[in-house]
Coordinates of all heavy atoms in Angstrom, one line a residue:
D1355 N 60.1 -36.5 -67.1 CA 58.7 -36.3 -67.3 C 58.5 -34.9 -67.7 O 57.5 -34.7 -68.5 CB 58.0 -36.5 -66.0 CG 58.2 -37.9 -65.4 OD1 58.2 -38.7 -66.3 OD2 58.1 -38.1 -64.2
V1356 N 59.4 -34.0 -67.2 CA 59.2 -32.6 -67.6 C 59.5 -32.4 -69.2 O 58.6 -31.8 -69.9 CB 60.2 -31.6 -66.8 CG1 60.3 -30.2 -67.4 CG2 59.8 -31.7 -65.4
V1357 N 60.6 -33.0 -69.6 CA 60.9 -32.8 -71.1 C 59.8 -33.5 -71.9 O 59.3 -33.0 -72.9 CB 62.3 -33.5 -71.3 CG1 62.6 -33.4 -72.9 CG2 63.4 -32.8 -70.6
E1358 N 59.3 -34.6 -71.5 CA 58.2 -35.4 -72.3 C 57.0 -34.5 -72.3 O 56.3 -34.5 -73.3 CB 58.0 -36.7 -71.6 CG 57.0 -37.6 -72.4 CD 57.0 -39.1 -72.0 OE1 57.3 -39.1 -70.7 OE2 56.7 -39.9 -72.7
K1359 N 56.7 -33.9 -71.2 CA 55.4 -33.0 -71.2 C 55.6 -31.7 -72.1 O 54.6 -31.4 -72.7 CB 55.2 -32.6 -69.7 CG 54.0 -31.8 -69.5 CD 53.7 -31.4 -68.0 CE 52.5 -30.5 -67.9 NZ 52.3 -30.2 -66.4
I1360 N 56.8 -31.1 -72.1 CA 56.9 -29.9 -72.7 C 57.2 -30.0 -74.2 O 56.7 -29.2 -75.0 CB 57.9 -29.0 -72.0 CG1 57.5 -28.7 -70.6 CG2 58.1 -27.7 -72.7 CD1 56.1 -28.0 -70.4
V1361 N 58.1 -30.9 -74.5 CA 58.6 -31.0 -75.8 C 57.9 -32.0 -76.7 O 57.6 -33.1 -76.3 CB 60.1 -31.4 -75.8 CG1 60.7 -31.6 -77.3 CG2 60.9 -30.5 -75.0
D1362 N 57.4 -31.4 -77.9 CA 56.9 -32.3 -78.9 C 57.9 -32.7 -80.0 O 58.4 -31.8 -80.8 CB 55.7 -31.5 -79.7 CG 54.9 -32.4 -80.6 OD1 55.5 -33.3 -81.2 OD2 53.7 -32.1 -80.9
F1363 N 58.4 -33.9 -79.8 CA 59.6 -34.3 -80.6 C 59.3 -34.4 -82.2 O 60.1 -34.3 -83.0 CB 60.3 -35.6 -80.1 CG 61.1 -35.4 -79.0 CD1 60.6 -35.5 -77.6 CD2 62.4 -35.0 -79.0 CE1 61.3 -35.2 -76.5 CE2 63.2 -34.6 -77.9 CZ 62.6 -34.8 -76.6
D1364 N 58.0 -34.6 -82.4 CA 57.6 -34.6 -83.9 C 57.8 -33.1 -84.4 O 58.3 -33.0 -85.6 CB 56.1 -35.0 -84.0 CG 55.8 -36.4 -83.8 OD1 56.8 -37.2 -84.0 OD2 54.7 -36.9 -83.4
K1365 N 57.6 -32.2 -83.6 CA 57.8 -30.8 -84.0 C 59.2 -30.5 -84.1 O 59.6 -29.7 -85.1 CB 57.0 -29.8 -83.1 CG 55.6 -29.8 -83.1 CD 54.8 -28.9 -82.3 CE 53.3 -28.9 -82.4 NZ 52.7 -28.0 -81.4
V1366 N 60.0 -31.0 -83.3 CA 61.4 -30.8 -83.2 C 62.0 -31.4 -84.5 O 62.8 -30.7 -85.2 CB 62.1 -31.6 -82.1 CG1 63.6 -31.6 -82.2 CG2 61.7 -30.9 -80.7
H1367 N 61.6 -32.5 -85.0 CA 62.0 -33.2 -86.2 C 61.4 -32.4 -87.5 O 62.2 -32.4 -88.5 CB 61.4 -34.6 -86.4 CG 61.9 -35.5 -85.2 ND1 61.2 -36.6 -84.9 CD2 62.9 -35.4 -84.4 CE1 61.9 -37.2 -83.9 NE2 62.9 -36.5 -83.5
R1368 N 60.4 -31.7 -87.3 CA 59.8 -30.9 -88.5 C 60.5 -29.4 -88.5 O 60.4 -28.7 -89.4 CB 58.3 -30.8 -88.4 CG 57.6 -32.0 -88.6 CD 56.2 -31.7 -88.9 NE 55.5 -31.0 -88.0 CZ 54.7 -31.5 -87.0 NH1 54.7 -32.8 -86.7 NH2 54.2 -30.8 -86.0
C1369 N 61.2 -29.1 -87.5 CA 61.7 -27.8 -87.4 C 63.0 -27.6 -88.3 O 64.1 -27.7 -88.1 CB 62.2 -27.4 -86.0 SG 62.6 -25.7 -85.7
S1370 N 62.6 -27.3 -89.6 CA 63.6 -27.2 -90.6 C 64.4 -25.9 -90.6 O 65.5 -25.9 -91.1 CB 63.1 -27.4 -92.0 OG 62.0 -26.4 -92.3
D1371 N 63.9 -24.9 -89.8 CA 64.7 -23.7 -89.8 C 66.0 -23.8 -89.0 O 66.8 -22.9 -89.1 CB 63.7 -22.6 -89.2 CG 62.5 -22.3 -90.2 OD1 62.7 -22.5 -91.4 OD2 61.5 -21.8 -89.7
I1372 N 66.0 -24.6 -88.0 CA 67.1 -24.7 -87.0 C 67.7 -26.2 -87.1 O 66.9 -27.1 -86.7 CB 66.7 -24.3 -85.6 CG1 66.1 -22.9 -85.5 CG2 67.9 -24.4 -84.6 CD1 65.7 -22.5 -84.2
K1373 N 68.9 -26.2 -87.3 CA 69.7 -27.6 -87.2 C 70.0 -27.7 -85.8 O 70.3 -26.8 -85.1 CB 70.9 -27.6 -88.0 CG 70.7 -27.4 -89.6 CD 72.0 -27.4 -90.2 CE 71.8 -27.2 -91.8 NZ 71.4 -25.7 -92.0
L1374 N 69.8 -29.0 -85.3 CA 70.0 -29.3 -83.8 C 71.0 -30.4 -83.8 O 70.8 -31.4 -84.4 CB 68.6 -29.7 -83.4 CG 68.4 -29.7 -81.8 CD1 68.8 -28.3 -81.1 CD2 67.0 -30.1 -81.5
F1375 N 71.9 -30.2 -82.8 CA 72.9 -31.3 -82.5 C 73.0 -31.5 -81.0 O 73.4 -30.4 -80.2 CB 74.3 -30.7 -83.0 CG 74.3 -30.5 -84.5 CD1 74.2 -29.0 -84.9 CD2 74.2 -31.3 -85.6 CE1 74.3 -28.6 -86.2 CE2 74.3 -30.9 -86.8 CZ 74.3 -29.5 -87.1
I1376 N 72.8 -32.6 -80.6 CA 72.7 -33.0 -79.1 C 73.8 -33.9 -78.9 O 74.0 -34.9 -79.5 CB 71.4 -33.6 -78.7 CG1 70.3 -32.6 -79.0 CG2 71.4 -34.0 -77.2 CD1 70.4 -31.3 -78.3
A1377 N 74.7 -33.8 -77.7 CA 75.9 -34.6 -77.5 C 75.7 -35.4 -76.3 O 75.0 -35.1 -75.3 CB 77.1 -33.8 -77.3
A1378 N 76.2 -36.7 -76.5 CA 76.1 -37.7 -75.3 C 77.5 -38.4 -75.4 O 78.2 -38.5 -76.5 CB 75.0 -38.6 -75.4
T1379 N 77.9 -39.1 -74.3 CA 79.1 -39.8 -74.3 C 78.8 -41.4 -74.2 O 78.2 -41.8 -73.3 CB 80.0 -39.4 -73.1 OG1 80.3 -38.0 -73.0 CG2 81.2 -40.2 -73.0
N1380 N 79.3 -42.1 -75.2 CA 79.3 -43.5 -75.2 C 80.1 -44.1 -74.1 O 81.2 -44.0 -74.1 CB 79.6 -44.0 -76.6 CG 79.2 -45.5 -76.8 OD1 79.8 -46.3 -75.9 ND2 78.6 -45.8 -77.8
V1381 N 79.4 -44.9 -73.2 CA 80.0 -45.5 -72.0 C 81.0 -46.6 -72.5 O 82.1 -46.6 -71.9 CB 79.0 -46.0 -71.1 CG1 79.7 -46.6 -69.8 CG2 78.0 -45.0 -70.6
F1382 N 80.7 -47.4 -73.5 CA 81.5 -48.4 -73.9 C 82.8 -47.9 -74.5 O 83.9 -48.4 -74.3 CB 80.8 -49.3 -75.0 CG 79.7 -50.3 -74.3 CD1 78.8 -50.8 -75.2 CD2 79.7 -50.5 -73.1 CE1 77.8 -51.7 -74.7 CE2 78.7 -51.3 -72.4 CZ 77.8 -51.8 -73.3
T1383 N 82.7 -46.9 -75.5 CA 83.8 -46.5 -76.2 C 84.6 -45.3 -75.7 O 85.6 -44.9 -76.1 CB 83.4 -46.2 -77.7 OG1 82.5 -45.0 -77.7 CG2 82.7 -47.4 -78.3
G1384 N 83.8 -44.5 -74.9 CA 84.3 -43.1 -74.5 C 84.3 -42.1 -75.5 O 84.8 -41.0 -75.2
K1385 N 83.6 -42.4 -76.5 CA 83.6 -41.4 -77.7 C 82.3 -40.6 -77.6 O 81.3 -41.0 -77.0 CB 83.7 -42.1 -79.1 CG 84.9 -42.8 -79.3 CD 85.0 -43.6 -80.6 CE 86.3 -44.3 -80.8 NZ 86.3 -45.1 -82.1
I1386 N 82.3 -39.4 -78.3 CA 81.2 -38.5 -78.3 C 80.2 -39.1 -79.3 O 80.6 -39.6 -80.5 CB 81.5 -37.1 -78.7 CG1 80.3 -36.3 -78.4 CG2 82.1 -37.0 -80.0 CD1 80.7 -34.7 -78.5
R1387 N 78.9 -39.0 -79.1 CA 77.9 -39.3 -80.2 C 77.1 -37.9 -80.3 O 76.6 -37.4 -79.3 CB 77.0 -40.4 -79.9 CG 75.9 -40.6 -81.0 CD 75.1 -41.8 -80.9 NE 74.0 -41.8 -81.9 CZ 73.1 -42.7 -82.1 NH1 73.2 -43.8 -81.3 NH2 72.2 -42.7 -83.0
V1388 N 77.0 -37.4 -81.5 CA 76.1 -36.2 -81.7 C 74.9 -36.7 -82.5 O 74.9 -37.3 -83.5 CB 76.8 -35.3 -82.7 CG1 76.0 -34.0 -82.9 CG2 78.2 -34.7 -81.9
F1389 N 73.7 -36.4 -81.8 CA 72.3 -36.8 -82.3 C 71.9 -35.6 -83.2 O 71.9 -34.4 -82.7 CB 71.4 -37.1 -81.3 CG 71.8 -38.3 -80.4 CD1 72.6 -38.2 -79.3 CD2 71.3 -39.6 -80.7 CE1 72.9 -39.3 -78.5 CE2 71.6 -40.7 -80.0 CZ 72.5 -40.5 -78.9
R1390 N 71.6 -35.9 -84.3 CA 71.1 -34.8 -85.3 C 69.6 -34.9 -85.6 O 69.2 -36.0 -85.8 CB 71.9 -34.9 -86.6 CG 73.4 -34.7 -86.4 CD 74.2 -35.1 -87.7 NE 75.5 -34.7 -87.6 CZ 76.5 -35.3 -86.9 NH1 76.1 -36.3 -86.1 NH2 77.7 -34.8 -86.9
E1391 N 69.0 -33.7 -85.7 CA 67.6 -33.6 -86.1 C 66.7 -34.9 -85.7 O 66.3 -34.9 -84.6 CB 67.5 -33.3 -87.7 CG 67.8 -31.8 -88.0 CD 69.2 -31.6 -88.2 OE1 69.9 -32.4 -88.8 OE2 69.6 -30.5 -87.8
K1392 N 66.5 -35.7 -86.7 CA 65.5 -36.8 -86.5 C 66.0 -37.8 -85.5 O 65.2 -38.7 -85.0 CB 65.2 -37.4 -87.8 CG 64.3 -36.4 -88.7 CD 63.8 -37.2 -89.9 CE 63.2 -36.2 -91.0 NZ 62.3 -35.2 -90.4
E1393 N 67.4 -37.8 -85.1 CA 67.8 -38.7 -84.2 C 67.6 -38.1 -82.7 O 67.8 -39.0 -81.8 CB 69.3 -38.8 -84.3 CG 69.8 -39.5 -85.6 CD 71.4 -39.5 -85.7 OE1 71.9 -38.5 -85.4 OE2 71.7 -40.5 -86.3
V1394 N 67.1 -36.9 -82.7 CA 66.9 -36.2 -81.3 C 65.7 -36.8 -80.7 O 64.5 -36.4 -81.2 CB 66.9 -34.7 -81.5 CG1 66.6 -34.2 -80.1 CG2 68.4 -34.3 -81.9
T1395 N 65.7 -37.6 -79.8 CA 64.5 -38.1 -79.2 C 64.6 -37.8 -77.7 O 65.6 -37.3 -77.1 CB 64.6 -39.7 -79.4 OG1 65.7 -40.2 -78.6 CG2 64.5 -40.1 -80.8
L1396 N 63.6 -38.2 -77.0 CA 63.6 -38.1 -75.5 C 64.8 -38.8 -74.9 O 65.5 -38.2 -74.0 CB 62.3 -38.5 -74.9 CG 62.1 -38.5 -73.3 CD1 62.2 -37.1 -72.9 CD2 60.8 -39.2 -72.9
D1397 N 65.0 -40.0 -75.3 CA 66.3 -40.8 -74.8 C 67.5 -40.0 -75.0 O 68.4 -39.9 -74.2 CB 66.3 -42.2 -75.4 CG 65.3 -43.1 -74.7 OD1 64.8 -42.8 -73.6 OD2 64.9 -44.1 -75.3
A1398 N 67.7 -39.5 -76.3 CA 68.9 -38.8 -76.5 C 69.1 -37.6 -75.7 O 70.2 -37.3 -75.2 CB 68.9 -38.3 -78.1
V1399 N 68.0 -36.8 -75.3 CA 68.2 -35.6 -74.5 C 68.5 -36.1 -73.1 O 69.3 -35.5 -72.5 CB 66.9 -34.9 -74.5 CG1 67.0 -33.7 -73.5 CG2 66.6 -34.3 -75.8
M1400 N 67.9 -37.2 -72.6 CA 68.2 -37.6 -71.3 C 69.6 -38.1 -71.2 O 70.2 -38.2 -70.2 CB 67.2 -38.7 -70.8 CG 65.7 -38.2 -70.7 SD 65.5 -36.4 -70.1 CE 66.2 -36.6 -68.5
A1401 N 70.0 -38.8 -72.3 CA 71.4 -39.3 -72.3 C 72.3 -38.2 -72.2 O 73.5 -38.2 -71.4 CB 71.7 -40.1 -73.6
S1402 N 72.1 -37.1 -72.9 CA 73.0 -36.0 -72.8 C 73.1 -35.4 -71.5 O 74.2 -34.7 -71.2 CB 72.4 -34.8 -73.8 OG 73.3 -33.7 -73.9
A1403 N 72.2 -35.6 -70.7 CA 72.1 -35.0 -69.2 C 72.3 -36.1 -68.2 O 71.9 -35.7 -67.0 CB 70.8 -34.3 -69.0
C1404 N 72.8 -37.2 -68.5 CA 72.9 -38.3 -67.6 C 74.2 -38.2 -67.0 O 75.2 -38.9 -67.3 CB 72.7 -39.6 -68.4 SG 72.8 -41.2 -67.3
L1405 N 74.1 -37.6 -65.7 CA 75.3 -37.7 -64.8 C 75.5 -39.0 -64.2 O 74.5 -39.5 -63.5 CB 75.2 -36.5 -63.6 CG 75.3 -35.1 -64.2 CD1 75.1 -34.2 -63.0 CD2 76.8 -34.9 -64.7
P1406 N 76.5 -39.7 -64.3 CA 76.6 -41.2 -63.9 C 76.5 -41.3 -62.4 O 76.2 -42.5 -62.0 CB 77.9 -41.7 -64.4 CG 78.7 -40.3 -64.7 CD 77.8 -39.3 -65.0
Q1407 N 76.8 -40.3 -61.6 CA 76.7 -40.4 -60.2 C 75.2 -40.4 -59.7 O 74.9 -40.8 -58.6 CB 77.5 -39.4 -59.4 CG 78.9 -39.3 -59.7 CD 79.3 -38.4 -60.9 OE1 78.3 -38.0 -61.7 NE2 80.6 -38.1 -61.1
M1408 N 74.3 -39.9 -60.6 CA 73.0 -39.6 -60.2 C 71.9 -40.6 -60.9 O 70.9 -40.9 -60.4 CB 72.6 -38.2 -60.5 CG 73.4 -37.2 -59.6 SD 73.0 -35.4 -60.1 CE 71.3 -35.4 -59.5
F1409 N 72.2 -40.9 -62.2 CA 71.3 -41.7 -63.0 C 72.0 -42.8 -63.7 O 73.1 -42.7 -64.0 CB 70.6 -40.7 -64.0 CG 70.0 -39.5 -63.5 CD1 70.5 -38.3 -63.7 CD2 68.8 -39.7 -62.7 CE1 70.0 -37.2 -63.2 CE2 68.3 -38.4 -62.2 CZ 68.8 -37.2 -62.4
Q1410 N 71.1 -43.9 -64.0 CA 71.6 -44.9 -64.6 C 71.8 -44.5 -66.2 O 71.1 -43.7 -66.6 CB 70.7 -46.1 -64.6 CG 70.4 -46.6 -63.2 CD 69.3 -47.7 -63.2 OE1 69.0 -48.4 -64.1 NE2 68.7 -47.9 -61.8
A1411 N 72.9 -45.2 -66.8 CA 73.1 -44.9 -68.2 C 71.8 -45.2 -69.0 O 71.0 -46.0 -68.8 CB 74.2 -45.8 -68.7
V1412 N 71.7 -44.3 -70.0 CA 70.5 -44.3 -71.0 C 71.0 -45.1 -72.2 O 71.9 -44.9 -72.8 CB 70.2 -43.0 -71.5 CG1 68.9 -43.0 -72.4 CG2 69.7 -42.1 -70.2

Side-chain angles (χ1 to χ4, degrees):
D1355 298 332
V1356 173
V1357 176
E1358 188 172 24
K1359 178 179 180 179
I1360 299 298
V1361 178
D1362 185 332
F1363 283 93
D1364 288 335
K1365 291 181 179 178
V1366 173
H1367 299 158
R1368 292 199 302 268
C1369 186
S1370 58
D1371 293 337
I1372 299 177
K1373 299 180 181 68
L1374 194 59
F1375 307 102
I1376 302 301
T1379 302
N1380 187 303
V1381 180
F1382 286 163
T1383 66
K1385 297 178 181 179
I1386 190 172
R1387 175 170 176 183
V1388 176
F1389 298 88
R1390 296 163 170 81
E1391 280 85 41
K1392 297 191 186 311
E1393 297 176 324
V1394 176
T1395 62
L1396 176 60
D1397 281 340
V1399 175
M1400 300 319 299
S1402 182
C1404 180
L1405 288 171
Q1407 301 91 344
M1408 298 178 63
F1409 304 110
Q1410 298 177 24
V1412 178

